[in-house]
Amino acid sequence: MAQGSSDRSFPERYERDARVSSEERTAGDPAYPDLVAILRYWNQKRGDRFAPPRSAIDPSDFMEALPRVKLVDVLRDAGGNLDFRFRLAGTWIGNILGTELTRLRPLDLQPPQFGTMVHEHYVQCVRERRPLLHKVEIDSVRRIHNYARLLLPLSSDGEQVDMLMTVDSQA
């Protein structure tokens, strides 16, 4: 198996030609009060740094959001190319997508255009080193799924983003 690829199958919850779109919103958008609360928590934990380390985040501080949280490892190859691997994903996310995401990569997600979009959002967050909020829609014949996703960079060395924390909210 090639480095970065996954051997886990992913069920088809959406047709491969589903329409996938996203719109970047201002992090802290009051339309998503649950995400505003998480952003406030993240800001408290980061202090004067651009991002807090993972060790500063205590899941017991936001228990109600845990089913909607993902922790994502940031992987870099020798050429500086970015890839990502889900370290953990809350139960709500697995129920929506129809699979356990742990150890998968965003590029493993279906439909492929959704996985590509998620990957691109993660790259943006790592490169810009700032929280991002996206409103996401997946529209297929069988179902439509809307949600807002807050991306939060984490940094163990205070220089480089080495993990992302994401929190989803129903849109």
Side-chain angles (χ1 to χ4, degrees):
M1 180 172 40
Q3 180 186 11
S5 66
S6 171
D7 62 356
R8 294 193 33 208
S9 62
F10 196 96
E12 292 284 336
R13 292 288 291 239
Y14 301 96
E15 292 81 16
R16 293 183 78 70
D17 62 348
R19 188 179 62 79
V20 176
S21 62
S22 71
E23 173 188 343
E24 187 172 341
R25 300 278 181 97
T26 302
D29 185 331
Y32 309 102
D34 57 336
L35 300 183
V36 169
I38 296 292
L39 180 62
R40 187 178 316 114
Y41 172 82
W42 179 87
N43 275 319
Q44 290 170 347
K45 294 299 181 176
R46 79 180 175 100
D48 293 334
R49 301 168 292 207
F50 83 91
R54 163 61 188 93
S55 61
I57 305 298
D58 182 354
S60 68
D61 291 339
F62 48 91
M63 293 292 291
E64 70 288 342
L66 284 181
R68 298 176 286 113
V69 170
K70 291 188 292 286
L71 288 180
V72 183
D73 290 320
V74 177
L75 310 171
R76 291 176 174 82
D77 68 15
N81 297 311
L82 294 172
D83 200 2
F84 306 92
R85 186 166 312 280
F86 298 112
R87 178 176 290 223
L88 66 86
T91 54
W92 182 86
I93 297 164
N95 290 339
I96 292 293
L97 294 177
T99 194
E100 167 59 41
L101 295 181
T102 303
R103 293 188 305 274
L104 291 177
R105 301 163 43 242
L107 293 173
D108 295 327
L109 298 175
Q110 296 295 325
Q113 60 273 27
F114 175 64
T116 298
M117 180 191 68
V118 170
H119 179 88
E120 290 170 357
H121 290 167
Y122 289 6
V123 167
Q124 179 187 6
C125 187
V126 169
R127 291 208 169 120
E128 295 182 10
R129 298 177 3 144
R130 67 179 177 94
L132 296 173
L133 177 66
H134 292 98
K135 182 168 180 177
V136 176
E137 181 175 289
I138 307 171
D139 185 359
S140 71
V141 172
R142 290 185 288 186
R143 64 193 289 225
I144 297 173
H145 180 61
N146 298 289
Y147 67 101
R149 181 187 57 237
L150 180 64
L151 297 175
L152 299 166
L154 302 174
S155 175
S156 59
D157 67 3
E159 297 294 322
Q160 217 174 158
V161 176
D162 52 17
M163 184 174 281
L164 298 174
M165 183 171 101
T166 81
V167 186
D168 293 352
S169 178
Q170 284 296 95

